[in-house]
Amino acid sequence: MTAIRVLVVEDEPLLAEAHSAYTERVPGFVVVGVAHTARAAMAALRANDGGDVDLVLLDFRLPDLHGLDVCRALRAAGSSIDVLAVTSARDLAVVRTAVSLGVTHYLLKPFTFAAFRDKLERYADYRAQALADGEVAAQHEVDQMFATLRGTAGHSLPKGLDAQTLDRVRAALTDGTRAEVGLSATEVSAATGISRVTARRYLEYLVTVDRAARTPRYGTPGRPEVEYRPR
């Protein structure tokens, strides 16, 4: 699969370096450029009509222009390039405008690597669906694409499950040090501080919504243990 090419736009050099490092840690993503001003970002995107960039990680509080103005300029130029806002701007009017300009995600600073990784992974899932050939067969496929971007809303979870614990379980499951080998419910329990039974409930839920895969783990005495890997 072709890597998703990312332009990091952040005026503070240390944060730009951190965001670049975070991006490179997520499989399937590669940083192709860093810009510290809006003008530098627009210049990078104008080169080859933005063909070398798939996703912009955009800080809104830039020294020469607001990030929303960068988004407006992109849309006015006919660009459909995807934008993930990485900002400390908490004004609801800013959030609403970002949505209206097609910003795919809005990540508030400060944030953890797990939160950052989750946004990128959801974007990658969405992009894979959006770039597929053909047409959607039914409404549920459209709903799935939107749900992939937005994540699972707390009110839509089964009774007894909550979004915060689900995020902790998923973060443990997608930890880069263990994602390749898989985790058992016991191991997720140890990583998150919840009981093994509760961990299994959340893991099974992730399997049902196609966010995890369940396979037997052989090589243990007696009955094979089940392990889970992120999808």
Side-chain angles (χ1 to χ4, degrees), residues 31-136:
V31 175
V32 295
V34 176
H36 299 298
T37 66
R39 288 180 176 82
M42 294 303 297
L45 293 170
R46 279 194 297 268
N48 277 338
D49 294 324
D52 292 333
V53 177
D54 302 308
L55 177 68
V56 180
L57 299 187
L58 181 63
D59 180 26
F60 277 0
R61 293 175 175 168
L62 299 170
D64 54 343
L65 203 64
H66 196 282
L68 287 178
D69 292 321
V70 175
C71 293
R72 290 189 184 96
L74 287 173
R75 301 311 177 222
S79 173
S80 59
I81 194 167
D82 291 320
V83 176
L84 192 162
V86 181
T87 178
S88 57
R90 297 172 180 267
D91 191 303
L92 282 175
V94 173
V95 176
R96 287 194 296 270
T97 303
V99 172
S100 71
L101 291 170
V103 171
T104 60
H105 287 95
Y106 198 104
L107 183 59
L108 283 174
K109 300 175 183 176
F111 51 81
T112 64
F113 172 64
F116 182 86
R117 178 182 56 202
D118 182 68
K119 298 298 185 194
L120 290 193
E121 288 177 344
R122 291 188 187 281
Y123 171 75
D125 289 346
Y126 161 78
R127 182 178 172 83
Q129 296 174 54
L131 294 182
D133 294 328
E135 300 179 350
V136 295

Side-chain angles (χ1 to χ4, degrees), residues 160-161 165 168-169 184-203:
L161 303 188
T165 304
R168 287 163 56 199
V169 170
S184 66
T186 301
E187 291 163 337
V188 170
S189 169
T192 58
I194 60 179
S195 72
R196 184 181 64 82
V197 172
T198 300
R200 184 179 296 278
R201 287 187 62 204
Y202 280 92
L203 289 166

Side-chain angles (χ1 to χ4, degrees), residues 172-185:
L173 200 62
T174 55
D175 185 333
T177 62
R178 296 302 305 272
E180 293 300 318
V181 298
L183 291 174
S184 66

